[in-house]
Amino acid sequence: MIKRRTLTVVATVCAAGLSAASVSSASAVSAASDSNSTSTSTSGSASVPGTDLNAGTNSWTTAVGDNGDVTGAHSVSGHIHGFVWHGGTLVDLPPGANQDYSIANAVDAGGDVVGTGGNYGFGYVHAYEWKGGSPNGTDFGALYGNSFANTVNTGGEIAGQSQTSLSVTVGALLNSGVPTVLPDLGGSYTAPMYLNDAGTAAGYSLTPSGDQHAVVWIGGKLTDLGIGTAAGLNAQGQVLVASAQGKGAPFLWTNGVQTTFGAGVQTVTGLNNAGQVVGTFLPAGSTTAHGFVWQNGQLTDLGAAFFPTAVNNVGQVLGNTAADSYGLGVVWYQGQVTTLAPTSGQYSEPEQLNDNGLVAGIVQGTQDATVWQLPAVSGAALHKRGG
């Protein structure tokens, strides 16, 4: 449901399939239906203006919660500070004592923010939490070495990482600041990037030979999903797996069963609680990738100028008109496409979307953190599955 910007300033992270020839661009998938959907076609166009978060130039967003909180980071007097924004008010989350920067990575339903704080260069990095969006954060310390907080669930459990040495990074869950190291595949790097409210985590782990495998931790127990990386986790515990290191084909993992999406599917970028998957595919005979939304074996073609980045539990698909950052943000829902207008410059780059239609991202040029509010969807609550 939520897509987050990769934080390179903190760390560098190293069956039911449908053939592309049988895909019909006229078919539509409804998040409310488990049966064959009613055929429609993409039609109509609307535009939604953006709202500048007033976080300044060189600011970006990292997550948007269903309560309307938006987290991110911005430049303050030459240093990077985390922030949380809600309803027009931006709260700066400054670094702690003797630290150079802070970054807010995620927020839970209660407004508690997690992220990192540290020093530039070869200085330390610590996992952080800001309770209720307070600017006074809690430094979890080094734990087993440099530590990172990646995401948080509604129970306040945090998924993150910790270095046991300069060359080994392990995954960890933090509960009330107490870390539990997650089992791994024996390699040098493990990263839990997704965490649901049941405490299931998903991410990836390296093998001793350096191969990257998608993994899921259920009740703390590791399951190896094979070559790839987790690209999504929903409330039901389904894991979306993307290719990694140029190997493997995308698939959806459900209680030990792998479901592929067809030979034409290239990337997968989002999963919601209804089991909808979004990404890109190459139609038969075409050299141009198209966006798609998939559910229960049926793939809907979103067109050539639609590159999905996320899907919420209502079934709204967030994307961009260009594969790189120089395009316009767009949202597809039941055949209707809405453009997310930039507040300045020519391009908008939305990256996160919550279940209430609040979109967060940046506008290119000034790189200002920005939000867009989509119109309410009638009966949207009926489309949601799980929690």
Side-chain angles (χ1 to χ4, degrees):
M1 178 181 69
I2 296 171
K3 180 176 173 59
R4 300 187 304 108
R5 173 181 291 270
T6 300
L7 305 175
T8 54
V9 69
V10 177
T12 301
V13 175
C14 357
L18 196 67
S19 69
S22 67
V23 174
S24 169
S25 63
S27 65
V29 176
S30 167
S33 175
D34 286 330
S35 60
N36 291 334
S37 58
T38 304
S39 294
T40 64
S41 60
T42 300
S43 62
S45 181
S47 181
V48 171
T51 298
D52 192 324
L53 301 190
N54 293 319
T57 58
N58 191 28
S59 59
W60 66 91
T61 61
T62 54
V64 54
D66 282 335
N67 62 353
D69 285 337
V70 178
T71 60
H74 62 154
S75 179
V76 179
S77 300
H79 293 279
I80 299 299
H81 287 200
F83 72 77
V84 59
W85 177 96
H86 184 94
T89 300
L90 185 141
V91 177
D92 182 55
L93 305 176
N98 303 315
Q99 294 180 328
D100 296 324
Y101 70 84
S102 59
I103 297 176
N105 288 343
V107 59
D108 68 14
D112 295 339
V113 177
V114 299
T116 51
N119 296 97
Y120 300 126
F122 294 98
Y124 62 82
V125 180
H126 287 182
Y128 248 82
E129 181 177 34
W130 295 270
K131 283 285 191 180
S134 167
N136 300 312
T138 298
D139 184 343
F140 288 126
L143 301 180
Y144 304 104
N146 284 339
S147 59
F148 310 88
N150 297 331
T151 190
V152 60
N153 65 16
T154 57
E157 191 173 25
I158 300 168
Q161 297 157 274
S162 186
Q163 288 182 306
T164 56
S165 71
L166 289 177
S167 59
V168 178
T169 298
V170 298
L173 295 181
L174 286 81
N175 203 327
S176 299
V178 178
T180 300
V181 174
L182 294 168
D184 57 39
L185 297 180
S188 62
Y189 199 92
T190 296
M193 303 305 296
Y194 301 91
L195 180 68
N196 68 16
D197 289 347
T200 296
Y204 68 90
S205 184
L206 299 185
T207 66
S209 62
D211 287 331
Q212 184 172 314
H213 284 208
V215 293
V216 60
W217 294 271
I218 303 173
K221 182 180 179 180
L222 173 74
T223 298
D224 183 355
L225 306 184
I227 291 286
T229 183
L233 169 70
N234 67 14
Q236 283 69 44
Q238 292 180 301
V239 182
L240 181 62
V241 176
S243 303
Q245 300 173 319
K247 304 174 184 178
F251 62 88
L252 180 65
W253 181 89
T254 308
N255 296 325
V257 177
Q258 296 185 6
T259 302
T260 58
F261 310 109
V265 170
Q266 298 177 314
T267 66
V268 287
T269 54
L271 168 70
N272 68 11
N273 287 342
Q276 287 183 305
V277 173
V278 297
T280 62
F281 79 107
L282 195 64
S286 174
T287 58
T288 303
H290 287 207
F292 74 83
V293 57
W294 175 98
Q295 186 179 29
N296 295 331
Q298 185 172 9
L299 189 150
T300 299
D301 187 347
L302 303 183
F306 200 110
F307 295 85
T309 55
V311 57
N312 66 11
N313 291 323
V314 178
Q316 293 170 310
V317 181
L318 177 64
N320 200 283
T321 59
D324 55 26
S325 59
Y326 299 104
L328 288 174
V330 284
V331 175
W332 179 95
Y333 180 67
Q334 295 187 348
Q336 176 80 24
V337 175
T338 300
T339 300
L340 305 176
T343 53
S344 61
Q346 297 176 283
Y347 309 109
S348 55
E349 187 183 353
E351 293 192 324
Q352 302 92 21
L353 169 68
N354 75 6
D355 288 345
N356 298 313
L358 182 64
V359 179
I362 64 171
V363 293
Q364 288 291 346
T366 56
Q367 191 164 318
D368 289 333
T370 303
V371 293
W372 296 263
Q373 180 60 64
L374 298 170
V377 175
S378 177
L382 299 178
H383 296 277
K384 298 183 182 181
R385 304 288 181 84

